[in-house]
Amino acid sequence: MKGLDLRLPSPLIEVHDELLSARGVRLYLKRDDLIHPELIGNKWRKLKYNLEEARAESQSTLLTFGGAYSNHIRAVATSGYYFDFDTIGIIRGEEHLPLNEFLASAVNYGMQLVYMDRVTYRRKTNPEVIDSLRSRFGDFYLLPEGGSNALALRGCAELVEEIDIEFDTICCSCGTGGTLAGIASALCEEQRALGFSTLKGGSFLFEEVSNLQKSAYGHSAANWSIELDYHFGGFAKRTRELDEFISSFAARHGVTLDWIYEAKMMFGLLDLIGRGEFERGSTIVAVIAG
Ligand SMILES: *Cc1c(COP(=O)(O)O)cnc(C)c1O
């Protein structure tokens, strides 16, 4: 292996803020963004057991799907480099040059990028589409978009085991919902998980998370929920209000929140806390996945 240096367990850091003390709530950040600069947080957790499985099946190529702003694409490329797999990234839509930093980084780690029109991309889980990819590229280990599958949930569940304080609620942002599904599965009876959708119209996530849990554990749990109203216009969309929030959070707490996911979650979480949605005395852990 090419000397992959992962910071695990990821640090847990308390946030001090007047809003929190006024509401009698404690807030900790689970800094998964510090695990590795490119194998970002939950993407590493989701890939870990999949890489073992790919190895066990003697596969030499990983193939996966993603949009142009996909941390997953980047993480698969990086893992391919470190764990000696060839990697193919099927990218939604057309090529835009120069490549943005996500795709440039993927290419840098040796990933072959293949662009797929949006209509076909929507049918990407369809066996015909997969078969045509196999006839074009040969055999591969298939990772779903965003890396969320049963093995990914197992990796995400380990995040909870690393937390060595007592807490009531754990929050994360949701793209595919895999992280939320995995985290929720590892909680004790009194604890609950709260996801924040970064997608507009994210109500499909309820079914998605439930299905992922069923595929991994045979049943789904009722200890989680998802906030749908903090998407700021949709996936990879930003507004001035969000940008101002990122700056002020960085100035107050020294953490620059990722604008695609974590800033939206943190804005939503602080908004809910400010509105008294959390009981006094409660402790919240917010997962900063990247
Ligand atoms: C992928 C990603 C998420 C969303 O994870 P899902 O399991 O797809 O819901 C959240 N935050 C960051 C930084 C990510 O890269």
Side-chain angles (χ1 to χ4, degrees):
M1 215 213 284
K2 299 179 182 103
L4 178 62
D5 197 7
L6 296 176
R7 189 161 172 200
L8 287 166
S10 63
L12 187 70
I13 294 161
E14 183 163 9
V15 176
H16 297 281
D17 195 288
E18 286 141 38
L19 170 73
L20 300 171
S21 25
R23 290 289 171 184
V25 170
R26 304 191 80 154
L27 173 62
Y28 291 81
L29 305 182
K30 178 71 171 151
R31 297 288 308 271
D32 266 20
D33 57 321
L34 301 177
I35 293 177
H36 187 276
E38 259 124 21
L39 261 174
I40 298 173
N42 67 354
K43 298 304 182 288
W44 162 249
R45 295 192 190 275
K46 292 204 252 185
L47 282 169
K48 181 179 163 186
Y49 291 110
N50 278 293
L51 295 175
E52 279 182 15
E53 179 60 23
R55 184 76 77 223
E57 292 175 15
S58 304
Q59 297 283 1
S60 58
T61 302
L62 308 173
L63 181 141
T64 195
F65 299 89
Y69 290 93
S70 168
N71 282 334
H72 167 68
I73 285 285
R74 193 163 158 173
V76 171
T78 314
S79 339
Y81 171 81
Y82 282 107
F83 296 92
D84 292 322
F85 290 100
D86 292 331
T87 54
I88 300 170
I90 309 293
I91 310 299
R92 182 183 53 228
E94 287 149 29
E95 183 178 38
H96 292 281
L97 294 172
L99 295 177
N100 69 23
E101 60 166 317
F102 292 76
L103 299 181
S105 160
V107 169
N108 223 7
Y109 277 110
M111 178 176 265
Q112 178 186 355
L113 299 182
V114 178
Y115 294 86
M116 184 178 265
D117 69 87
R118 285 162 195 273
V119 176
T120 316
Y121 192 91
R122 237 172 272 140
R123 299 168 44 238
K124 63 187 169 305
T125 53
N126 195 308
E128 284 160 41
V129 176
I130 303 295
D131 284 348
S132 79
L133 289 171
R134 283 202 208 280
S135 44
R136 189 165 160 200
F137 298 108
D139 205 11
F140 49 74
Y141 184 85
L142 179 66
L143 288 157
E145 182 179 43
S148 292
N149 59 14
L151 289 172
L153 265 57
R154 230 175 102 193
C156 290
E158 290 179 351
L159 180 161
V160 177
E161 292 153 26
E162 288 176 11
I163 301 173
D164 56 3
I165 58 158
E166 286 186 18
F167 64 92
D168 307 288
T169 305
I170 185 163
C171 299
C172 69
S173 56
C174 294
T176 62
T179 306
L180 178 66
I183 287 174
S185 73
L187 299 178
C188 314
E189 221 172 297
E190 325 74 57
Q191 297 173 319
R192 66 187 188 114
L194 182 59
F196 291 80
S197 173
T198 56
L199 307 146
K200 195 162 149 182
S203 52
F204 75 93
L205 281 167
F206 284 96
E207 199 181 336
E208 201 63 32
V209 171
S210 204
N211 287 341
L212 281 165
Q213 289 191 326
K214 282 179 201 150
S215 76
Y217 312 110
H219 56 88
S220 68
N223 62 350
W224 54 269
S225 165
I226 305 171
E227 290 291 330
L228 299 176
D229 296 332
Y230 297 103
H231 56 71
F232 290 85
F235 187 73
K237 296 277 190 328
R238 62 205 294 177
T239 65
R240 210 165 118 202
E241 188 184 25
L242 186 70
D243 289 342
E244 284 169 5
F245 172 72
I246 293 172
S247 311
S248 80
F249 192 90
R252 277 179 295 142
H253 305 298
V255 178
T256 302
L257 298 166
D258 153 87
W259 63 275
I260 296 179
Y261 291 102
E262 314 314 350
K264 296 180 181 182
M265 168 194 64
M266 192 56 69
F267 185 102
L269 176 57
L270 293 177
D271 188 50
L272 294 177
I273 293 171
R275 291 202 265 123
E277 297 284 333
F278 292 88
E279 269 177 48
R280 296 191 82 81
S282 47
T283 300
I284 303 165
V285 174
V287 178
I288 306 296

